[in-house]
Amino acid sequence: MVARKPEGTTVHAGDDADSLEQATREFLAARPQLFGIAYRILGSAVEAEDIVQEAWLRWQNTDRTDVLEPAAFLTTVTARLAINFAQSARVRRESYIGPWLPEPIDTTEDPQLGAERAEALELAVLFLLEKLNPVERAAYVLREAFDYPYKQVADILETSEANTRQLVSRARKHLASERRERVSPVDHKRLLEVFLAAAQTGNLAALEDVLAADVVSWSDGGGVRGASKIPVVGRPRVSKYLAAFAPRFWPQADIRWVEANGRPAVLVSADGNAVALLSVDASAEGIDRIMWVMNPAKLLPYVASLSA
């Protein structure tokens, strides 16, 4: 439920609270948080921007004299719009060519992406959350990343507080079952450096040493780039796969260390054009997820954000 002013409150036409200028200020103040919510629910920066724009249009057309807490109102509208969009996006992604990976985002200027905590932000986490239904995902995002009380999350989702707790609990259990405890940022960067060097040279022994036994390599080319349309699973297969294409892929490639979704990543380019963003997920057992974002529709907006 969104807090509204009691009936009978007098508001004059010239009041600043009723002006578009005031509405714009309130929206811009909430915008980083709104984008952070929509992006985490959808896993797409482009789709999140569309949701935020729609929230702005609704805010403009709302009788704002009746709204006590603009930020709460905008959060509710954004979350519900994102949930509805995610439900239709799930259908579209079922026909996606090859593995679907989240769209990367540059977090150098806003490490927590508008949230209280940098939770539900890493590419690997967004990828795992995609297996949840949109309401479960929204409940987890609002609670774990934005630290909203269960009662407020329940109001946003139009459900009971007890059900909200169950939704968040299921999301936590899903992540815990799919993802081991992560290494420190320092170890993460070190493992990625070792992996990159081994991948560039096709060093089979070095690759096997840095990969977890159950490692999975995911390549998202969206049917546009020549990426593997099925995941490559297991240390021996992934190592041989990487070693096999090393002579064709790396000699012509330029690499740039970047940050994506709060973690170090590697931007791979050829002839001045970005061809892949390499990101990994790592535990004490080694690198257990390798993610290659190669779809230009996801890659180019990220590269543009780096330039900006």
Side-chain angles (χ1 to χ4, degrees):
M1 180 182 297
V2 178
R4 296 183 179 273
K5 294 179 182 178
E7 293 184 7
T9 302
T10 301
V11 179
H12 300 290
D15 285 352
D16 191 40
D18 192 35
S19 70
L20 184 59
E21 181 181 354
Q22 175 69 14
T24 302
R25 286 197 296 268
E26 291 165 341
F27 179 82
L28 290 177
R31 194 186 190 288
Q33 176 176 305
L34 305 182
F35 179 82
I37 291 170
Y39 174 73
R40 285 170 166 89
I41 293 174
L42 297 169
S44 166
V46 173
E47 293 172 355
E49 288 287 3
D50 290 341
I51 293 297
V52 172
Q53 180 63 22
E54 178 63 25
W56 163 241
L57 293 176
R58 296 199 181 194
W59 179 232
Q60 283 181 295
N61 296 324
T62 293
D63 181 5
R64 296 182 298 277
T65 63
D66 195 35
V67 179
L68 274 176
E69 300 176 17
F73 177 91
L74 288 165
T75 293
T76 299
V77 168
T78 299
R80 291 177 183 175
L81 284 170
I83 289 170
N84 290 337
F85 193 93
Q87 289 168 340
S88 61
R90 285 174 72 94
V91 176
R92 293 194 302 275
R93 289 170 187 173
E94 287 175 0
S95 60
Y96 193 82
I97 300 175
W100 180 93
L101 292 175
E103 180 184 338
I105 192 165
D106 179 21
T107 50
T108 52
E109 293 189 6
D110 186 2
Q112 297 180 175
L113 202 66
E116 294 297 312
R117 296 188 290 266
E119 184 59 54
L121 185 54
E122 295 175 41
L123 286 174
V125 175
L126 292 174
F127 176 66
L128 292 175
L129 289 179
E130 184 69 14
K131 297 180 181 179
L132 302 176
N133 70 53
V135 177
E136 288 174 332
R137 184 166 180 162
Y140 181 83
V141 164
L142 292 169
R143 175 61 186 169
E144 297 300 297
F146 292 85
D147 200 27
Y148 286 145
Y150 281 106
K151 179 63 170 65
Q152 187 175 355
V153 177
D155 289 342
I156 293 171
L157 301 181
E158 298 180 291
T159 187
S160 68
E161 185 173 344
N163 188 49
T164 299
R165 290 180 181 275
Q166 291 179 347
L167 292 171
V168 175
S169 177
R170 282 203 296 268
R172 287 173 178 160
K173 289 177 181 177
H174 170 70
L175 286 177
S177 66
E178 295 280 343
R179 196 171 186 239
R180 304 183 185 97
E181 185 176 348
R182 299 299 89 189
V183 296
S184 70
V186 172
D187 287 338
H188 181 102
K189 176 74 178 297
R190 178 185 59 80
L191 285 168
L192 180 52
E193 289 172 339
V194 173
F195 171 80
L196 178 62
Q200 286 178 298
T201 58
N203 188 326
L204 199 60
L207 284 169
E208 291 180 341
D209 189 54
V210 78
L211 299 177
D214 56 355
V215 61
V216 183
S217 178
W218 305 86
S219 301
D220 180 345
V224 179
R225 289 269 169 79
S228 175
K229 294 180 181 178
I230 59 172
V232 184
V233 182
R235 182 190 289 147
R237 289 183 178 180
V238 173
S239 299
K240 292 175 182 177
Y241 171 76
L242 294 171
F245 78 70
R248 301 191 305 273
F249 184 74
W250 294 107
Q252 60 183 351
D254 297 314
I255 66 167
R256 173 185 174 187
W257 284 91
V258 293
E259 180 178 303
N261 298 64
R263 288 288 191 177
V266 176
L267 182 63
V268 184
S269 302
D271 299 323
N273 299 312
V275 295
L277 181 78
L278 165 63
S279 177
V280 302
D281 201 27
S283 68
E285 296 186 24
I287 292 173
D288 41 29
R289 283 183 187 83
I290 307 167
M291 293 160 284
W292 305 86
V293 179
M294 303 176 74
N295 186 344
K298 299 178 181 182
L299 192 56
L300 296 183
Y302 172 78
V303 174
S305 72
L306 296 178
S307 301

